[in-house]
Amino acid sequence: PTSPTGALSIYEKYMKPMLEQSSVDHDVLVTKRAGHARDRMMSRKNGASGDDSNVRCGENDDGYDKLNKPNEMENADDESRDISTYQAIIAMGGDGILNEIMQGIRSRPQHDQEQILSSIKFGIVGCGTSNGLAKSILHWSGEEYGALESIFQICKGVVATLDIATYALLPKHEKKGVVNGVNNDESDTLAVQTMRQTQQSNVKYITSFLSFSWGLIADCDLESECLRILGTLRSDIWAVYRGVLFPRRYRARFSYLPPRVNNGDEVCEQDSSFDMPKFVEEVPEGWVSVEDDFTVFWACQTSHASYNMFNCPMSKMNDGLFHILVVRASCPRWRLILMLLQLESGNHIHCKGLEVISCRAYRLEPLSYNSYNDIDGELVEDGVIQAHMMPRGAQFFAGKVD
């Protein structure tokens, strides 16, 4: 926030005057530590969940709901008001700050989560390193990429629905050799199944708006943190190191629920009429399972993973689908290099060796723990992952989206 291009500088130079010109009252929280935004979202205050004594606003002449603002100097948020009494939450920063916001909301009681996601509008102004969601929303809206363009969309007050995903994580058991209930020693089968039933109560839930990666992409994202000073170039360097010079093979069992198809070839995109299996259960009939060695496993919800990475051109803002990019370990390195070189343009989609699997839900069971679970650019625990889409699960400020 102290840099000339940081969130605080962009707020003072552009966001604050534009909101004031649009007659939008607002409070500002400048985060002071990791997890600050998450804690602010999850903390329930007086006036939450239907107490109208603190409800924020009225409307301005254009009918655009304003945010409630206590009479505080410099619009500072004193953190005394529950976030459910606001009408919009704007994240200024990278995707990480929005991730904190979403996990904070996830930590609230179920009825609070549903009320907040259905009633509060969200916005994001890319002020970080990657800014994948900010770039994707501008792309879907037909706008050029930039913080100013995002602020214009917010001030116009037009919203569109965004698919968000719910991830369930079953952490890896401490016992060596046991991977998601699978052990090479058949004599351990009963003990393993008992362990899985015990662990079902330890399942963790995470809200996602961007992507999940495991394998090469996760390694490039997380292991390259030591080169963070280089910006987005760090991922390119690590892709050469991990993908070409010192490659790994990542073994997993991947199961997915294909889209429901109507009229022969028309995909029913907004279909969520199914129940997710528990971790102690096998995937149900209708799911497809594949076990293999992989290089890339990348489940995408947005068109861009960062402002300069057009990783999923087919993704829409509210198509209700994951689009999973898969490269198997049998793919030659030179083909992998060609794919990586074309990520910026989106032409990697046409490369031989890349599979694109669209689905409504999926489960990934790592059979070799030599990579990371990376959700929206954030490291989460090792273990089995399964996810389902929440179609149109949140409202975001955006332009006209097809």
Side-chain angles (χ1 to χ4, degrees), residues 328-364:
R328 305 191 190 221
S330 56
C331 178
R333 294 187 201 180
W334 65 269
R335 282 191 178 147
L336 179 62
I337 294 172
L338 287 179
M339 294 177 203
L340 297 174
L341 289 174
Q342 296 183 77
L343 270 174
E344 185 171 353
S345 66
N347 289 328
H348 62 290
I349 294 300
H350 307 296
C351 291
K352 187 175 181 180
L354 176 68
E355 302 170 54
V356 181
I357 299 171
S358 297
C359 60
R360 294 177 282 165
Y362 74 91
R363 175 188 286 180
L364 181 71

PDB file of all heavy atoms in Angstrom, residues 328-364:
ATOM      1  N   ARG A 328      -0.799 -34.875 -19.383  1.00  0.00           N
ATOM      2  CA  ARG A 328      -0.286 -36.107 -18.787  1.00  0.00           C
ATOM      3  C   ARG A 328       1.238 -36.146 -18.885  1.00  0.00           C
ATOM      4  O   ARG A 328       1.839 -35.489 -19.735  1.00  0.00           O
ATOM      5  CB  ARG A 328      -0.918 -37.320 -19.461  1.00  0.00           C
ATOM      6  CG  ARG A 328      -2.445 -37.242 -19.407  1.00  0.00           C
ATOM      7  CD  ARG A 328      -3.111 -38.525 -19.807  1.00  0.00           C
ATOM      8  NE  ARG A 328      -4.547 -38.325 -19.973  1.00  0.00           N
ATOM      9  CZ  ARG A 328      -5.486 -39.155 -19.575  1.00  0.00           C
ATOM     10  NH1 ARG A 328      -5.133 -40.280 -18.960  1.00  0.00           N
ATOM     11  NH2 ARG A 328      -6.762 -38.898 -19.785  1.00  0.00           N
ATOM     12  N   ALA A 329       1.837 -36.952 -18.011  1.00  0.00           N
ATOM     13  CA  ALA A 329       3.298 -37.010 -17.948  1.00  0.00           C
ATOM     14  C   ALA A 329       3.912 -37.574 -19.222  1.00  0.00           C
ATOM     15  O   ALA A 329       5.097 -37.379 -19.480  1.00  0.00           O
ATOM     16  CB  ALA A 329       3.729 -37.836 -16.738  1.00  0.00           C
ATOM     17  N   SER A 330       3.111 -38.268 -20.026  1.00  0.00           N
ATOM     18  CA  SER A 330       3.614 -38.826 -21.290  1.00  0.00           C
ATOM     19  C   SER A 330       3.827 -37.749 -22.354  1.00  0.00           C
ATOM     20  O   SER A 330       4.442 -38.020 -23.391  1.00  0.00           O
ATOM     21  CB  SER A 330       2.630 -39.869 -21.824  1.00  0.00           C
ATOM     22  OG  SER A 330       1.339 -39.317 -21.968  1.00  0.00           O
ATOM     23  N   CYS A 331       3.357 -36.538 -22.112  1.00  0.00           N
ATOM     24  CA  CYS A 331       3.528 -35.444 -23.084  1.00  0.00           C
ATOM     25  C   CYS A 331       5.004 -35.056 -23.173  1.00  0.00           C
ATOM     26  O   CYS A 331       5.647 -34.798 -22.145  1.00  0.00           O
ATOM     27  CB  CYS A 331       2.696 -34.240 -22.665  1.00  0.00           C
ATOM     28  SG  CYS A 331       2.857 -32.807 -23.750  1.00  0.00           S
ATOM     29  N   PRO A 332       5.595 -35.002 -24.385  1.00  0.00           N
ATOM     30  CA  PRO A 332       7.008 -34.616 -24.520  1.00  0.00           C
ATOM     31  C   PRO A 332       7.267 -33.212 -23.987  1.00  0.00           C
ATOM     32  O   PRO A 332       6.388 -32.337 -24.038  1.00  0.00           O
ATOM     33  CB  PRO A 332       7.239 -34.666 -26.037  1.00  0.00           C
ATOM     34  CG  PRO A 332       6.163 -35.543 -26.573  1.00  0.00           C
ATOM     35  CD  PRO A 332       4.980 -35.337 -25.684  1.00  0.00           C
ATOM     36  N   ARG A 333       8.466 -32.977 -23.515  1.00  0.00           N
ATOM     37  CA  ARG A 333       8.797 -31.670 -22.930  1.00  0.00           C
ATOM     38  C   ARG A 333       8.685 -30.550 -23.945  1.00  0.00           C
ATOM     39  O   ARG A 333       8.282 -29.432 -23.599  1.00  0.00           O
ATOM     40  CB  ARG A 333      10.223 -31.706 -22.353  1.00  0.00           C
ATOM     41  CG  ARG A 333      10.386 -32.636 -21.174  1.00  0.00           C
ATOM     42  CD  ARG A 333      11.756 -32.491 -20.550  1.00  0.00           C
ATOM     43  NE  ARG A 333      12.107 -33.666 -19.759  1.00  0.00           N
ATOM     44  CZ  ARG A 333      13.255 -33.816 -19.105  1.00  0.00           C
ATOM     45  NH1 ARG A 333      14.161 -32.853 -19.163  1.00  0.00           N
ATOM     46  NH2 ARG A 333      13.492 -34.908 -18.418  1.00  0.00           N
ATOM     47  N   TRP A 334       9.024 -30.817 -25.215  1.00  0.00           N
ATOM     48  CA  TRP A 334       8.985 -29.741 -26.195  1.00  0.00           C
ATOM     49  C   TRP A 334       7.548 -29.287 -26.439  1.00  0.00           C
ATOM     50  O   TRP A 334       7.300 -28.099 -26.694  1.00  0.00           O
ATOM     51  CB  TRP A 334       9.665 -30.168 -27.499  1.00  0.00           C
ATOM     52  CG  TRP A 334       9.002 -31.295 -28.269  1.00  0.00           C
ATOM     53  CD1 TRP A 334       9.250 -32.613 -28.149  1.00  0.00           C
ATOM     54  CD2 TRP A 334       7.971 -31.157 -29.263  1.00  0.00           C
ATOM     55  NE1 TRP A 334       8.451 -33.341 -29.002  1.00  0.00           N
ATOM     56  CE2 TRP A 334       7.667 -32.473 -29.706  1.00  0.00           C
ATOM     57  CE3 TRP A 334       7.304 -30.078 -29.828  1.00  0.00           C
ATOM     58  CZ2 TRP A 334       6.704 -32.723 -30.684  1.00  0.00           C
ATOM     59  CZ3 TRP A 334       6.350 -30.324 -30.811  1.00  0.00           C
ATOM     60  CH2 TRP A 334       6.058 -31.623 -31.221  1.00  0.00           C
ATOM     61  N   ARG A 335       6.587 -30.213 -26.330  1.00  0.00           N
ATOM     62  CA  ARG A 335       5.189 -29.814 -26.462  1.00  0.00           C
ATOM     63  C   ARG A 335       4.737 -29.005 -25.245  1.00  0.00           C
ATOM     64  O   ARG A 335       3.955 -28.061 -25.357  1.00  0.00           O
ATOM     65  CB  ARG A 335       4.302 -31.046 -26.633  1.00  0.00           C
ATOM     66  CG  ARG A 335       4.340 -31.610 -28.048  1.00  0.00           C
ATOM     67  CD  ARG A 335       3.272 -32.655 -28.253  1.00  0.00           C
ATOM     68  NE  ARG A 335       3.295 -33.137 -29.633  1.00  0.00           N
ATOM     69  CZ  ARG A 335       2.993 -34.359 -30.006  1.00  0.00           C
ATOM     70  NH1 ARG A 335       2.655 -35.252 -29.085  1.00  0.00           N
ATOM     71  NH2 ARG A 335       3.018 -34.718 -31.277  1.00  0.00           N
ATOM     72  N   LEU A 336       5.216 -29.407 -24.086  1.00  0.00           N
ATOM     73  CA  LEU A 336       4.892 -28.653 -22.875  1.00  0.00           C
ATOM     74  C   LEU A 336       5.432 -27.227 -22.977  1.00  0.00           C
ATOM     75  O   LEU A 336       4.748 -26.261 -22.605  1.00  0.00           O
ATOM     76  CB  LEU A 336       5.478 -29.355 -21.656  1.00  0.00           C
ATOM     77  CG  LEU A 336       5.248 -28.688 -20.299  1.00  0.00           C
ATOM     78  CD1 LEU A 336       3.766 -28.600 -19.976  1.00  0.00           C
ATOM     79  CD2 LEU A 336       5.993 -29.442 -19.195  1.00  0.00           C
ATOM     80  N   ILE A 337       6.643 -27.082 -23.494  1.00  0.00           N
ATOM     81  CA  ILE A 337       7.221 -25.746 -23.671  1.00  0.00           C
ATOM     82  C   ILE A 337       6.356 -24.901 -24.601  1.00  0.00           C
ATOM     83  O   ILE A 337       6.092 -23.715 -24.332  1.00  0.00           O
ATOM     84  CB  ILE A 337       8.663 -25.853 -24.211  1.00  0.00           C
ATOM     85  CG1 ILE A 337       9.577 -26.499 -23.165  1.00  0.00           C
ATOM     86  CG2 ILE A 337       9.193 -24.475 -24.604  1.00  0.00           C
ATOM     87  CD1 ILE A 337      10.951 -26.826 -23.681  1.00  0.00           C
ATOM     88  N   LEU A 338       5.885 -25.494 -25.693  1.00  0.00           N
ATOM     89  CA  LEU A 338       5.026 -24.766 -26.629  1.00  0.00           C
ATOM     90  C   LEU A 338       3.749 -24.285 -25.942  1.00  0.00           C
ATOM     91  O   LEU A 338       3.289 -23.161 -26.176  1.00  0.00           O
ATOM     92  CB  LEU A 338       4.680 -25.647 -27.829  1.00  0.00           C
ATOM     93  CG  LEU A 338       5.788 -25.904 -28.859  1.00  0.00           C
ATOM     94  CD1 LEU A 338       5.270 -26.823 -29.964  1.00  0.00           C
ATOM     95  CD2 LEU A 338       6.273 -24.585 -29.450  1.00  0.00           C
ATOM     96  N   MET A 339       3.167 -25.125 -25.110  1.00  0.00           N
ATOM     97  CA  MET A 339       1.961 -24.727 -24.384  1.00  0.00           C
ATOM     98  C   MET A 339       2.249 -23.534 -23.478  1.00  0.00           C
ATOM     99  O   MET A 339       1.498 -22.545 -23.465  1.00  0.00           O
ATOM    100  CB  MET A 339       1.443 -25.890 -23.530  1.00  0.00           C
ATOM    101  CG  MET A 339       0.935 -27.080 -24.300  1.00  0.00           C
ATOM    102  SD  MET A 339       0.460 -28.392 -23.145  1.00  0.00           S
ATOM    103  CE  MET A 339       0.581 -29.828 -24.212  1.00  0.00           C
ATOM    104  N   LEU A 340       3.321 -23.624 -22.709  1.00  0.00           N
ATOM    105  CA  LEU A 340       3.636 -22.565 -21.761  1.00  0.00           C
ATOM    106  C   LEU A 340       3.911 -21.244 -22.476  1.00  0.00           C
ATOM    107  O   LEU A 340       3.528 -20.171 -21.990  1.00  0.00           O
ATOM    108  CB  LEU A 340       4.843 -22.967 -20.907  1.00  0.00           C
ATOM    109  CG  LEU A 340       4.649 -24.198 -20.006  1.00  0.00           C
ATOM    110  CD1 LEU A 340       5.953 -24.576 -19.315  1.00  0.00           C
ATOM    111  CD2 LEU A 340       3.545 -23.945 -18.970  1.00  0.00           C
ATOM    112  N   LEU A 341       4.542 -21.317 -23.639  1.00  0.00           N
ATOM    113  CA  LEU A 341       4.856 -20.105 -24.392  1.00  0.00           C
ATOM    114  C   LEU A 341       3.605 -19.418 -24.938  1.00  0.00           C
ATOM    115  O   LEU A 341       3.627 -18.222 -25.234  1.00  0.00           O
ATOM    116  CB  LEU A 341       5.811 -20.428 -25.547  1.00  0.00           C
ATOM    117  CG  LEU A 341       7.243 -20.789 -25.168  1.00  0.00           C
ATOM    118  CD1 LEU A 341       8.033 -21.231 -26.402  1.00  0.00           C
ATOM    119  CD2 LEU A 341       7.932 -19.599 -24.490  1.00  0.00           C
ATOM    120  N   GLN A 342       2.520 -20.182 -25.055  1.00  0.00           N
ATOM    121  CA  GLN A 342       1.300 -19.620 -25.648  1.00  0.00           C
ATOM    122  C   GLN A 342       0.205 -19.338 -24.620  1.00  0.00           C
ATOM    123  O   GLN A 342      -0.930 -19.015 -24.987  1.00  0.00           O
ATOM    124  CB  GLN A 342       0.767 -20.582 -26.723  1.00  0.00           C
ATOM    125  CG  GLN A 342       1.733 -20.755 -27.891  1.00  0.00           C
ATOM    126  CD  GLN A 342       1.174 -21.643 -28.978  1.00  0.00           C
ATOM    127  OE1 GLN A 342       0.330 -21.226 -29.774  1.00  0.00           O
ATOM    128  NE2 GLN A 342       1.636 -22.879 -29.013  1.00  0.00           N
ATOM    129  N   LEU A 343       0.552 -19.402 -23.329  1.00  0.00           N
ATOM    130  CA  LEU A 343      -0.425 -19.129 -22.289  1.00  0.00           C
ATOM    131  C   LEU A 343      -0.942 -17.691 -22.351  1.00  0.00           C
ATOM    132  O   LEU A 343      -2.112 -17.423 -22.076  1.00  0.00           O
ATOM    133  CB  LEU A 343       0.181 -19.384 -20.905  1.00  0.00           C
ATOM    134  CG  LEU A 343       0.037 -20.791 -20.326  1.00  0.00           C
ATOM    135  CD1 LEU A 343       0.808 -20.900 -19.031  1.00  0.00           C
ATOM    136  CD2 LEU A 343      -1.423 -21.136 -20.099  1.00  0.00           C
ATOM    137  N   GLU A 344      -0.083 -16.763 -22.713  1.00  0.00           N
ATOM    138  CA  GLU A 344      -0.488 -15.354 -22.737  1.00  0.00           C
ATOM    139  C   GLU A 344      -1.548 -15.083 -23.797  1.00  0.00           C
ATOM    140  O   GLU A 344      -2.458 -14.277 -23.592  1.00  0.00           O
ATOM    141  CB  GLU A 344       0.727 -14.456 -22.964  1.00  0.00           C
ATOM    142  CG  GLU A 344       0.407 -12.973 -22.873  1.00  0.00           C
ATOM    143  CD  GLU A 344       1.655 -12.107 -22.875  1.00  0.00           C
ATOM    144  OE1 GLU A 344       2.778 -12.661 -22.820  1.00  0.00           O
ATOM    145  OE2 GLU A 344       1.508 -10.870 -22.927  1.00  0.00           O
ATOM    146  N   SER A 345      -1.456 -15.763 -24.924  1.00  0.00           N
ATOM    147  CA  SER A 345      -2.393 -15.527 -26.027  1.00  0.00           C
ATOM    148  C   SER A 345      -3.631 -16.421 -25.965  1.00  0.00           C
ATOM    149  O   SER A 345      -4.635 -16.149 -26.621  1.00  0.00           O
ATOM    150  CB  SER A 345      -1.688 -15.770 -27.361  1.00  0.00           C
ATOM    151  OG  SER A 345      -1.343 -17.145 -27.507  1.00  0.00           O
ATOM    152  N   GLY A 346      -3.563 -17.508 -25.207  1.00  0.00           N
ATOM    153  CA  GLY A 346      -4.661 -18.464 -25.157  1.00  0.00           C
ATOM    154  C   GLY A 346      -4.575 -19.545 -26.211  1.00  0.00           C
ATOM    155  O   GLY A 346      -5.429 -20.444 -26.261  1.00  0.00           O
ATOM    156  N   ASN A 347      -3.565 -19.494 -27.063  1.00  0.00           N
ATOM    157  CA  ASN A 347      -3.444 -20.479 -28.145  1.00  0.00           C
ATOM    158  C   ASN A 347      -2.958 -21.841 -27.665  1.00  0.00           C
ATOM    159  O   ASN A 347      -2.946 -22.804 -28.446  1.00  0.00           O
ATOM    160  CB  ASN A 347      -2.499 -19.948 -29.228  1.00  0.00           C
ATOM    161  CG  ASN A 347      -3.113 -18.807 -30.013  1.00  0.00           C
ATOM    162  OD1 ASN A 347      -4.329 -18.763 -30.202  1.00  0.00           O
ATOM    163  ND2 ASN A 347      -2.292 -17.862 -30.452  1.00  0.00           N
ATOM    164  N   HIS A 348      -2.551 -21.936 -26.401  1.00  0.00           N
ATOM    165  CA  HIS A 348      -2.144 -23.237 -25.865  1.00  0.00           C
ATOM    166  C   HIS A 348      -3.292 -24.243 -25.907  1.00  0.00           C
ATOM    167  O   HIS A 348      -3.067 -25.453 -25.910  1.00  0.00           O
ATOM    168  CB  HIS A 348      -1.659 -23.071 -24.424  1.00  0.00           C
ATOM    169  CG  HIS A 348      -2.719 -22.568 -23.492  1.00  0.00           C
ATOM    170  ND1 HIS A 348      -3.203 -21.290 -23.537  1.00  0.00           N
ATOM    171  CD2 HIS A 348      -3.414 -23.194 -22.495  1.00  0.00           C
ATOM    172  CE1 HIS A 348      -4.134 -21.135 -22.609  1.00  0.00           C
ATOM    173  NE2 HIS A 348      -4.285 -22.276 -21.965  1.00  0.00           N
ATOM    174  N   ILE A 349      -4.527 -23.744 -25.928  1.00  0.00           N
ATOM    175  CA  ILE A 349      -5.707 -24.612 -25.945  1.00  0.00           C
ATOM    176  C   ILE A 349      -5.687 -25.542 -27.157  1.00  0.00           C
ATOM    177  O   ILE A 349      -6.233 -26.648 -27.123  1.00  0.00           O
ATOM    178  CB  ILE A 349      -6.986 -23.739 -25.945  1.00  0.00           C
ATOM    179  CG1 ILE A 349      -7.110 -22.980 -24.621  1.00  0.00           C
ATOM    180  CG2 ILE A 349      -8.225 -24.579 -26.174  1.00  0.00           C
ATOM    181  CD1 ILE A 349      -7.201 -23.867 -23.401  1.00  0.00           C
ATOM    182  N   HIS A 350      -5.040 -25.113 -28.233  1.00  0.00           N
ATOM    183  CA  HIS A 350      -5.032 -25.893 -29.469  1.00  0.00           C
ATOM    184  C   HIS A 350      -3.830 -26.839 -29.560  1.00  0.00           C
ATOM    185  O   HIS A 350      -3.689 -27.554 -30.555  1.00  0.00           O
ATOM    186  CB  HIS A 350      -5.028 -24.958 -30.680  1.00  0.00           C
ATOM    187  CG  HIS A 350      -6.132 -23.935 -30.643  1.00  0.00           C
ATOM    188  ND1 HIS A 350      -7.460 -24.279 -30.701  1.00  0.00           N
ATOM    189  CD2 HIS A 350      -6.097 -22.582 -30.528  1.00  0.00           C
ATOM    190  CE1 HIS A 350      -8.198 -23.185 -30.642  1.00  0.00           C
ATOM    191  NE2 HIS A 350      -7.400 -22.143 -30.529  1.00  0.00           N
ATOM    192  N   CYS A 351      -2.965 -26.832 -28.549  1.00  0.00           N
ATOM    193  CA  CYS A 351      -1.763 -27.661 -28.597  1.00  0.00           C
ATOM    194  C   CYS A 351      -2.089 -29.133 -28.351  1.00  0.00           C
ATOM    195  O   CYS A 351      -2.897 -29.475 -27.478  1.00  0.00           O
ATOM    196  CB  CYS A 351      -0.759 -27.188 -27.543  1.00  0.00           C
ATOM    197  SG  CYS A 351      -0.014 -25.580 -27.895  1.00  0.00           S
ATOM    198  N   LYS A 352      -1.449 -29.987 -29.117  1.00  0.00           N
ATOM    199  CA  LYS A 352      -1.605 -31.414 -28.916  1.00  0.00           C
ATOM    200  C   LYS A 352      -0.974 -31.800 -27.579  1.00  0.00           C
ATOM    201  O   LYS A 352       0.118 -31.362 -27.228  1.00  0.00           O
ATOM    202  CB  LYS A 352      -0.923 -32.176 -30.054  1.00  0.00           C
ATOM    203  CG  LYS A 352      -1.169 -33.669 -30.023  1.00  0.00           C
ATOM    204  CD  LYS A 352      -0.579 -34.358 -31.239  1.00  0.00           C
ATOM    205  CE  LYS A 352      -0.852 -35.861 -31.217  1.00  0.00           C
ATOM    206  NZ  LYS A 352      -0.278 -36.556 -32.401  1.00  0.00           N
ATOM    207  N   GLY A 353      -1.680 -32.627 -26.827  1.00  0.00           N
ATOM    208  CA  GLY A 353      -1.197 -33.046 -25.512  1.00  0.00           C
ATOM    209  C   GLY A 353      -1.942 -32.382 -24.375  1.00  0.00           C
ATOM    210  O   GLY A 353      -1.871 -32.846 -23.233  1.00  0.00           O
ATOM    211  N   LEU A 354      -2.667 -31.288 -24.673  1.00  0.00           N
ATOM    212  CA  LEU A 354      -3.475 -30.629 -23.658  1.00  0.00           C
ATOM    213  C   LEU A 354      -4.928 -31.094 -23.768  1.00  0.00           C
ATOM    214  O   LEU A 354      -5.530 -31.028 -24.845  1.00  0.00           O
ATOM    215  CB  LEU A 354      -3.418 -29.109 -23.818  1.00  0.00           C
ATOM    216  CG  LEU A 354      -4.312 -28.315 -22.859  1.00  0.00           C
ATOM    217  CD1 LEU A 354      -3.817 -28.432 -21.418  1.00  0.00           C
ATOM    218  CD2 LEU A 354      -4.397 -26.845 -23.261  1.00  0.00           C
ATOM    219  N   GLU A 355      -5.479 -31.578 -22.675  1.00  0.00           N
ATOM    220  CA  GLU A 355      -6.891 -31.968 -22.619  1.00  0.00           C
ATOM    221  C   GLU A 355      -7.660 -30.922 -21.819  1.00  0.00           C
ATOM    222  O   GLU A 355      -7.182 -30.446 -20.783  1.00  0.00           O
ATOM    223  CB  GLU A 355      -7.035 -33.333 -21.952  1.00  0.00           C
ATOM    224  CG  GLU A 355      -6.266 -34.454 -22.628  1.00  0.00           C
ATOM    225  CD  GLU A 355      -6.263 -35.719 -21.785  1.00  0.00           C
ATOM    226  OE1 GLU A 355      -7.353 -36.180 -21.404  1.00  0.00           O
ATOM    227  OE2 GLU A 355      -5.156 -36.237 -21.501  1.00  0.00           O
ATOM    228  N   VAL A 356      -8.829 -30.567 -22.290  1.00  0.00           N
ATOM    229  CA  VAL A 356      -9.715 -29.650 -21.560  1.00  0.00           C
ATOM    230  C   VAL A 356     -10.977 -30.421 -21.193  1.00  0.00           C
ATOM    231  O   VAL A 356     -11.707 -30.886 -22.064  1.00  0.00           O
ATOM    232  CB  VAL A 356     -10.076 -28.412 -22.397  1.00  0.00           C
ATOM    233  CG1 VAL A 356     -10.984 -27.486 -21.590  1.00  0.00           C
ATOM    234  CG2 VAL A 356      -8.822 -27.667 -22.839  1.00  0.00           C
ATOM    235  N   ILE A 357     -11.213 -30.574 -19.902  1.00  0.00           N
ATOM    236  CA  ILE A 357     -12.351 -31.342 -19.402  1.00  0.00           C
ATOM    237  C   ILE A 357     -13.285 -30.383 -18.667  1.00  0.00           C
ATOM    238  O   ILE A 357     -12.906 -29.802 -17.646  1.00  0.00           O
ATOM    239  CB  ILE A 357     -11.882 -32.469 -18.467  1.00  0.00           C
ATOM    240  CG1 ILE A 357     -10.967 -33.434 -19.220  1.00  0.00           C
ATOM    241  CG2 ILE A 357     -13.085 -33.208 -17.872  1.00  0.00           C
ATOM    242  CD1 ILE A 357     -10.282 -34.451 -18.343  1.00  0.00           C
ATOM    243  N   SER A 358     -14.484 -30.208 -19.182  1.00  0.00           N
ATOM    244  CA  SER A 358     -15.485 -29.361 -18.528  1.00  0.00           C
ATOM    245  C   SER A 358     -16.370 -30.239 -17.653  1.00  0.00           C
ATOM    246  O   SER A 358     -16.782 -31.325 -18.060  1.00  0.00           O
ATOM    247  CB  SER A 358     -16.331 -28.624 -19.568  1.00  0.00           C
ATOM    248  OG  SER A 358     -15.509 -27.748 -20.343  1.00  0.00           O
ATOM    249  N   CYS A 359     -16.668 -29.771 -16.452  1.00  0.00           N
ATOM    250  CA  CYS A 359     -17.439 -30.591 -15.519  1.00  0.00           C
ATOM    251  C   CYS A 359     -18.148 -29.717 -14.495  1.00  0.00           C
ATOM    252  O   CYS A 359     -17.815 -28.547 -14.303  1.00  0.00           O
ATOM    253  CB  CYS A 359     -16.538 -31.605 -14.824  1.00  0.00           C
ATOM    254  SG  CYS A 359     -15.196 -30.886 -13.853  1.00  0.00           S
ATOM    255  N   ARG A 360     -19.128 -30.336 -13.833  1.00  0.00           N
ATOM    256  CA  ARG A 360     -19.885 -29.643 -12.796  1.00  0.00           C
ATOM    257  C   ARG A 360     -19.266 -29.827 -11.409  1.00  0.00           C
ATOM    258  O   ARG A 360     -19.501 -29.021 -10.504  1.00  0.00           O
ATOM    259  CB  ARG A 360     -21.327 -30.154 -12.775  1.00  0.00           C
ATOM    260  CG  ARG A 360     -22.123 -29.828 -14.023  1.00  0.00           C
ATOM    261  CD  ARG A 360     -23.519 -30.439 -13.953  1.00  0.00           C
ATOM    262  NE  ARG A 360     -23.490 -31.876 -14.254  1.00  0.00           N
ATOM    263  CZ  ARG A 360     -24.490 -32.701 -13.980  1.00  0.00           C
ATOM    264  NH1 ARG A 360     -25.570 -32.255 -13.361  1.00  0.00           N
ATOM    265  NH2 ARG A 360     -24.411 -33.976 -14.305  1.00  0.00           N
ATOM    266  N   ALA A 361     -18.528 -30.908 -11.239  1.00  0.00           N
ATOM    267  CA  ALA A 361     -17.907 -31.220  -9.956  1.00  0.00           C
ATOM    268  C   ALA A 361     -16.763 -32.189 -10.221  1.00  0.00           C
ATOM    269  O   ALA A 361     -16.715 -32.860 -11.251  1.00  0.00           O
ATOM    270  CB  ALA A 361     -18.918 -31.833  -8.999  1.00  0.00           C
ATOM    271  N   TYR A 362     -15.820 -32.256  -9.291  1.00  0.00           N
ATOM    272  CA  TYR A 362     -14.711 -33.198  -9.462  1.00  0.00           C
ATOM    273  C   TYR A 362     -14.086 -33.536  -8.120  1.00  0.00           C
ATOM    274  O   TYR A 362     -14.312 -32.865  -7.107  1.00  0.00           O
ATOM    275  CB  TYR A 362     -13.664 -32.639 -10.424  1.00  0.00           C
ATOM    276  CG  TYR A 362     -12.791 -31.534  -9.861  1.00  0.00           C
ATOM    277  CD1 TYR A 362     -11.590 -31.817  -9.227  1.00  0.00           C
ATOM    278  CD2 TYR A 362     -13.164 -30.190  -9.987  1.00  0.00           C
ATOM    279  CE1 TYR A 362     -10.782 -30.809  -8.719  1.00  0.00           C
ATOM    280  CE2 TYR A 362     -12.370 -29.179  -9.491  1.00  0.00           C
ATOM    281  CZ  TYR A 362     -11.178 -29.487  -8.857  1.00  0.00           C
ATOM    282  OH  TYR A 362     -10.388 -28.480  -8.344  1.00  0.00           O
ATOM    283  N   ARG A 363     -13.304 -34.611  -8.138  1.00  0.00           N
ATOM    284  CA  ARG A 363     -12.503 -35.033  -6.990  1.00  0.00           C
ATOM    285  C   ARG A 363     -11.100 -35.354  -7.478  1.00  0.00           C
ATOM    286  O   ARG A 363     -10.940 -36.023  -8.494  1.00  0.00           O
ATOM    287  CB  ARG A 363     -13.119 -36.262  -6.311  1.00  0.00           C
ATOM    288  CG  ARG A 363     -12.266 -36.841  -5.175  1.00  0.00           C
ATOM    289  CD  ARG A 363     -12.826 -38.163  -4.665  1.00  0.00           C
ATOM    290  NE  ARG A 363     -14.030 -37.967  -3.863  1.00  0.00           N
ATOM    291  CZ  ARG A 363     -14.711 -38.969  -3.298  1.00  0.00           C
ATOM    292  NH1 ARG A 363     -14.302 -40.225  -3.465  1.00  0.00           N
ATOM    293  NH2 ARG A 363     -15.797 -38.718  -2.587  1.00  0.00           N
ATOM    294  N   LEU A 364     -10.090 -34.893  -6.746  1.00  0.00           N
ATOM    295  CA  LEU A 364      -8.698 -35.219  -7.056  1.00  0.00           C
ATOM    296  C   LEU A 364      -8.091 -35.917  -5.848  1.00  0.00           C
ATOM    297  O   LEU A 364      -8.035 -35.346  -4.751  1.00  0.00           O
ATOM    298  CB  LEU A 364      -7.895 -33.957  -7.390  1.00  0.00           C
ATOM    299  CG  LEU A 364      -6.439 -34.222  -7.760  1.00  0.00           C
ATOM    300  CD1 LEU A 364      -6.334 -34.885  -9.141  1.00  0.00           C
ATOM    301  CD2 LEU A 364      -5.607 -32.938  -7.729  1.00  0.00           C
TER     302      LEU A 364
END
